[in-house]
Amino acid sequence: MTGVYVHVPFCRRRCLYCDFYSVGERLAEWPDYVGALLSEASARIPELRLSADRDETTLYIGGGTPSLIPADCFARLASGLLEQTGHCSEFTIEANPDDVSDEKARLWRECGVSRISMGVQSLVDSELRAIGRRHDSATARRAYETLRRYFDNISLDLMFGLPGQTVDSLMDSVGGVIAMNPDHVSAYSLMYEERTALTRLRDTGRLEEMSDDDCNCMFASLSDALADAGYEQYEISNYARPGYRSRHNSLYWQGVPYVGLGPGAHSCDGNRLRTANRPDVRAYMAYWLGRKGDSPADTEELGVEELREEMIMTRLRTREGLSLSEYSAAFGQEALESLVKYARKWIDAGNMEISPDRSSISLSRTGIMISDEIMASLF
């Protein structure tokens, strides 16, 4: 399996916490941008499929706000991408609740989209305003009802650690999402990234960052509620009903080749090579439309230590954990023995688990709460 990610960087309004590459919707020259994406796709997807030697592909259009793409441009983009990818086992588009309409949902379905990922974040209106979201809870509920008429695979995003949020208000949102009955839920802690508006508000004393202890309490409560509702926590931030794991996102955690199209998108060849398109939409379009400029991409070849740390970090995010035989095959028996030695204290403390057949190690429920500390110690 291989994956294709398409970045659509245009937003009507930037969320206060967002550090992904995005620009204002007024800069969206949609026909030209779609043309540039398809030009890059025609150049890079065949190479990905040849090097991976696999038939099955996932397709994910994220952003930014891809639900802003006009109908004719989306139809052209989807058709061109599907022609390049061949058999697409999962086709996801991210959607903002207040972009959803019956017409758009029908269009997405007719164009081959099989999965929707919608950013709800909270069902408490004051919390949505605090992070600069442009929808309210009623809009999110209506959007979900519209999408459900067309899709049988819907993922909803939640956030915790928001300004003014409490465990009780979080659980109101969680309960509301469970009642909506999505097939998949992603839950993320609010992060104060450099150069975001939210971080500036914190640094000037206009809001207070939640403590790690309070965030961990929220995460535990959220995870318990989703588990009781039948969702499996198959990755640190992702929960799914049986059969509804995100196939595309799982590629990132298993070291499978994927290609990222669009400014700011990243690619992996499944081995040492990593490619990143520079976050510059004008330079990107100029190059891929054949007008002018140099290649808008930077490449990096990872060394052994970087590959080792990457495998630890990605595999331990998953429920299945890190395969010891895979680790040994990649880095040698000595590296394996060192890994097991440093993992032992976490296993003895109950923060990591070793499988009954001793073939893998994984984070325990308590270990997930301190995953960054554990992974860093294993590096």
Side-chain angles (χ1 to χ4, degrees):
M1 181 180 289
T2 59
V4 176
Y5 172 80
V6 180
H7 190 62
V8 178
F10 307 107
C11 287
R12 188 160 293 159
R13 187 173 73 194
R14 188 180 181 88
C15 299
L16 299 182
Y17 56 85
C18 181
D19 72 333
F20 291 114
Y21 174 61
S22 65
V23 296
E25 186 186 13
R26 62 184 176 80
L27 298 178
E29 301 172 10
W30 290 113
D32 281 351
Y33 187 67
V34 168
L37 287 173
L38 293 178
S39 177
E40 186 186 13
S42 66
R44 301 189 61 204
I45 291 177
E47 295 178 5
L48 171 75
R49 293 175 57 76
L50 181 63
S51 64
D53 193 27
R54 292 175 172 87
D55 292 330
E56 191 174 344
T57 305
T58 63
L59 179 57
Y60 192 109
I61 304 181
T65 315
S67 51
L68 292 174
I69 304 175
D72 57 339
C73 292
F74 186 85
R76 178 185 169 207
L77 176 62
S79 175
L81 291 171
L82 290 172
E83 181 179 349
Q84 290 290 337
T85 58
H87 175 55
C88 183
S89 62
E90 180 187 84
F91 183 177
T92 303
I93 178 176
E94 292 181 353
N96 193 304
D98 58 347
D99 295 329
V100 174
S101 65
D102 193 82
E103 293 76 17
K104 281 193 172 181
R106 186 186 308 114
L107 168 75
W108 296 334
R109 178 78 259 185
E110 291 173 349
C111 288
V113 174
S114 60
R115 182 175 181 270
I116 300 290
S117 176
M118 186 168 71
V120 171
Q121 317 311 2
S122 172
L123 290 174
V124 178
D125 289 344
S126 61
E127 294 171 3
L128 292 170
R129 289 192 296 270
I131 56 174
R133 296 293 289 178
R134 56 184 173 90
H135 69 274
D136 59 18
S137 58
T139 301
R141 295 177 194 275
R142 287 195 301 269
Y144 180 83
E145 292 174 359
T146 298
L147 291 170
R148 193 46 106 183
R149 292 198 290 270
Y150 294 93
F151 296 94
D152 58 9
N153 192 349
I154 300 175
S155 177
L156 299 181
D157 286 357
L158 282 171
M159 296 182 72
F160 57 94
L162 303 179
Q165 192 175 49
T166 65
V167 172
D168 287 343
S169 70
L170 170 66
M171 296 316 294
D172 285 343
S173 291
V174 173
V177 164
I178 290 173
M180 293 160 73
N181 197 31
D183 310 285
H184 185 281
V185 176
S186 296
Y188 304 103
S189 175
L190 178 67
M191 304 299 292
Y192 288 79
E193 305 289 356
E194 292 185 18
R195 296 183 297 277
T196 63
L198 195 73
T199 298
R200 290 194 293 273
L201 290 173
R202 180 201 63 186
D203 292 347
T204 55
R206 296 171 63 184
L207 62 82
E208 184 176 353
E209 183 174 356
M210 190 170 292
S211 70
D212 289 343
D213 286 344
D214 287 342
C215 281
N216 286 340
C217 180
M218 287 185 171
F219 187 39
S221 299
L222 177 152
S223 296
D224 285 342
L226 290 172
D228 290 344
Y231 292 88
E232 173 197 30
Q233 187 177 12
Y234 70 98
E235 191 269 345
I236 288 178
S237 300
N238 287 275
Y239 308 76
R241 295 200 183 280
Y244 286 94
R245 292 187 181 191
S246 169
R247 297 182 184 182
H248 180 84
N249 289 342
S250 295
L251 302 180
Y252 300 142
W253 309 315
Q254 296 302 330
V256 175
Y258 58 87
V259 63
L261 308 176
H266 292 246
S267 305
C268 168
D269 71 343
N271 191 10
R272 290 178 178 268
L273 191 65
R274 304 293 181 268
T275 303
N277 287 342
R278 297 187 197 105
D280 185 333
V281 67
R282 294 191 184 280
Y284 173 84
M285 291 172 61
Y287 180 80
W288 285 109
L289 292 175
R291 297 174 183 170
K292 60 180 180 180
D294 299 325
S295 171
D298 297 312
T299 59
E300 176 187 16
E301 187 169 333
L302 301 188
V304 172
E305 284 304 301
E306 292 167 309
L307 290 170
R308 188 178 67 83
E309 292 177 5
E310 184 179 87
M311 181 180 289
I312 291 171
M313 182 175 62
T314 55
R315 304 304 194 275
L316 285 182
R317 289 190 64 88
T318 68
R319 181 181 180 90
E320 288 72 25
L322 173 61
S323 164
L324 299 182
S325 61
E326 181 187 16
Y327 189 84
S328 177
F331 307 111
Q333 183 63 27
E334 185 176 344
L336 174 63
E337 291 173 359
S338 177
L339 173 75
V340 173
K341 172 185 175 182
Y342 286 104
R344 176 53 59 186
K345 75 169 185 176
W346 300 110
I347 295 172
D348 291 345
N351 295 313
M352 294 190 74
E353 299 170 344
I354 189 162
S355 61
D357 61 1
R358 308 186 71 78
S359 64
S360 64
I361 55 173
S362 59
L363 297 175
S364 68
R365 173 65 186 279
T366 57
I368 288 175
M369 304 296 175
I370 54 171
S371 58
D372 289 346
E373 180 183 355
I374 293 174
M375 291 177 192
S377 75
L378 299 179
F379 291 168

